[in-house]
Amino acid sequence: MPCVSYVVTVYNKVPVLPFLLAGLAAQQGDFSREFIFVDDGSTDDSGALLRRLTAGWQAVTIVSQANGGPAVAFNAGLRRARGDYIKPMDADDVLLPWGTRRLLDAIEATGCAVAFGLPTPTYDIASTPEAVLSVFPHRPGPVERCDNMIRRSLRGAQTNPSTWLARADAVRRSGGCDERVFIQDYSLELRLAALGGFACLHEMIVRGPAAAPGRLNDNQAQILHDVNRALAYFIADHPGLPPGLARRAFARAASRAWRWARRHGGKGLASPEFRRFCGARLGLLAATHANLLATCGAFAETNTIRVPAVARTILA
């Protein structure tokens, strides 16, 4: 019987933890499971609430550590995982009862190492966990094998952690999250996509909150900054990528930075963001690590951006 390791990163999630845990407890399927929660320096009562609500559960590990960000927290959980499969979860998401079983089925049907579901509909935290789990009936969808996953991922993120499940050996071979990037989502998808195709399950498996206090998703500048930063390190770490793919990824990163600088920073056509965008689109600038990292500056100029300590100790 296979074992699924649920790796959950938690930071100040008291209002939503009952929803998360109700979804995990409701998982259907003939597989064993372990639950690894990494409390990433919460300043609320997340750790205590986790311990109280999981009392009596089997195979639960709760790790408490100083705040390092989602990428560092996920890797801390991954190091402790012993299952055949890894199922990441953001702590404010709800995995629907059939979610794990259907993702396992998709991996089995396609032979891929990774399977992911569709983008998430939302739930209201003023509701109840029981209502959130029961409001949608299960409507099975088709499974699509995506052998060109690296091309798709370089165009833009296709997943978030709560939507995918992967063979544990593939996650470990990928190296896990890039700890030079604060948010874990995109760096890990890129690293997994470099190993092979994904199975796309065209059905709903997870729900996220419409609004919840302190969500990273509310800081759009941090998200876009980290997308571009993840690209910079990924392309530098994979010099064998087809030049056309790297060039198009750079052009998209430069476009993101220019649009942000124009809308939120009041920048104009004489700005370095616009010149970089034109150079990337016209192929006048190469998709180098330095040029990609430079696209992150537009977001840091308008918003407070978290950069992991490990990234501050190496040459940017």
Side-chain angles (χ1 to χ4, degrees):
M1 180 186 300
C3 177
V4 174
S5 296
Y6 296 89
V7 178
V8 187
T9 54
V10 180
Y11 178 72
N12 289 354
K13 295 297 184 181
V14 163
V16 293
L17 285 178
F19 295 88
L20 164 83
L21 296 172
L24 294 179
Q27 290 306 291
Q28 304 162 349
D30 186 20
F31 56 90
S32 61
R33 53 207 80 185
E34 68 170 355
F35 304 94
I36 302 167
F37 301 95
V38 181
D39 181 9
D40 189 37
S42 294
T43 57
D44 64 3
D45 291 327
S46 290
L49 184 60
L50 275 172
R51 288 176 173 83
R52 180 166 64 83
L53 293 180
T54 59
W57 288 29
Q58 300 296 310
V60 173
T61 300
I62 299 175
V63 180
S64 297
Q65 63 180 37
N67 180 252
V72 171
F74 177 83
N75 284 350
L78 178 63
R79 286 193 293 271
R80 292 164 171 83
R82 297 294 177 264
D84 305 291
Y85 295 88
I86 303 296
K87 178 71 194 81
M89 287 296 299
D90 287 335
D92 47 14
D93 289 336
V94 178
L95 189 60
L96 294 171
W98 54 85
T100 306
R101 173 173 55 83
R102 292 290 292 154
L103 290 170
L104 287 170
D105 289 346
I107 286 177
E108 182 67 25
T110 61
C112 295
V114 184
F116 68 100
L118 293 182
T120 62
T122 59
Y123 70 88
D124 185 349
I125 64 171
S127 181
T128 65
E130 294 75 21
V132 170
L133 288 171
S134 65
V135 69
F136 287 109
H138 182 204
R139 295 187 176 91
V143 177
E144 173 193 5
R145 184 183 171 107
C146 304
D147 287 315
N148 61 340
M149 198 64 200
I150 189 61
R151 183 180 298 272
R152 293 173 59 157
S153 290
L154 284 169
R155 285 202 301 268
Q158 306 294 303
T159 70
N160 69 56
S162 297
T163 63
W164 63 260
L165 176 146
R167 296 186 187 276
D169 60 345
V171 182
R172 292 193 176 91
R173 279 190 291 118
S174 78
C177 299
D178 189 337
E179 294 189 7
R180 297 167 294 186
V181 184
F182 184 69
I183 299 177
Q184 80 276 40
D185 302 23
Y186 193 38
S187 72
L188 186 48
E189 178 186 315
L190 287 169
R191 288 177 169 192
L192 286 168
L195 299 180
F198 288 13
C200 177
L201 179 61
H202 288 267
E203 65 184 68
M204 181 175 63
I205 61 162
V206 68
R207 301 184 69 187
R215 282 196 313 165
L216 277 174
N217 283 351
D218 295 334
N219 187 347
Q220 192 66 14
Q222 180 80 58
I223 291 170
L224 295 175
H225 172 278
D226 285 5
V227 165
N228 282 13
R229 190 174 184 88
L231 271 174
Y233 284 110
F234 179 80
I235 288 174
D237 291 344
H238 294 79
L241 281 175
L245 288 184
R247 188 167 56 247
R248 286 191 288 274
F250 175 36
R252 291 186 181 92
S255 176
R256 279 189 290 271
W258 160 236
R259 290 197 304 269
W260 185 271
R262 186 182 70 229
R263 294 171 185 170
H264 301 277
K267 297 294 187 71
L269 301 184
S271 67
E273 288 81 10
F274 181 70
R275 293 196 301 271
R276 191 175 297 112
F277 164 66
C278 292
R281 287 292 299 270
L282 296 173
L284 302 176
L285 286 177
T288 64
H289 180 63
N291 284 338
L292 272 155
L293 271 187
T295 67
C296 299
F299 311 105
E301 284 186 13
T302 64
N303 290 69
T304 300
I305 299 296
R306 292 248 351 229
V307 176
V310 65
R312 296 194 292 266
T313 66
I314 61 177
L315 181 63

